[in-house]
Amino acid sequence: MTVLGNHDYWTAPRGVREALNKAGIVVLENQAVRRGPLAIVGIGDRFSTHDDTVSSLTAARGIGGVPIVLTHSPDIVPDLPAGLPLVLAGHTHCGQVVLPWIGPLLMRAPKDHWRQLYKGSNPAEGEMTP
């Protein structure tokens, strides 16, 4: 399963979706599907304004299961409720990895003049403010 990203939407979303479907890959667009004990939640890309977090999470609650979120970039993380066990994003910059109880692994971007990546973090509650 996958979600489309900003460049997919900017170029040929229909063609990308059709090619992925032809290869047997399910594209989730602000939807959730149940796979065993998991509710796989696909939230659209925030940067290209295709995200609908509320509808996606509502769909997940409706099917039950442990929610696992797929999204193109981690831009949506500050808007997600605490307690989601896993958010996977394919398009990240500067190693945006935040572990439960530990927090961000990297707080500054070494290749971007050491600019601060996160203003704050509360790893116990799963909150991060970019």
Side-chain angles (χ1 to χ4, degrees), residues 14-49:
R14 181 179 297 148
V16 171
R17 191 177 308 106
E18 288 172 1
L20 289 167
N21 287 336
K22 186 175 180 181
I25 299 169
V26 175
V27 178
L28 296 176
E29 297 184 59
N30 299 309
Q31 301 166 286
V33 295
R34 181 81 184 252
R35 295 294 186 262
L38 302 176
I40 310 296
V41 184
I43 301 177
D45 176 56
R46 161 86 35 103
F47 190 72
S48 62
T49 68

Side-chain angles (χ1 to χ4, degrees), residues 8 10-11 29 47-48 58-59 65 78 84 86 89 93-95 99-100 103 112:
D8 300 320
W10 293 340
T11 55
E29 297 184 59
F47 190 72
S48 62
T58 299
L84 288 171
L86 182 62
H93 295 267
C94 304
L99 299 175
D112 190 8

Side-chain angles (χ1 to χ4, degrees), residues 95-110:
Q96 295 157 323
V97 176
V98 180
L99 299 175
W101 305 288
I102 295 172
L105 296 182
L106 188 62
M107 295 296 292
R108 299 201 172 266

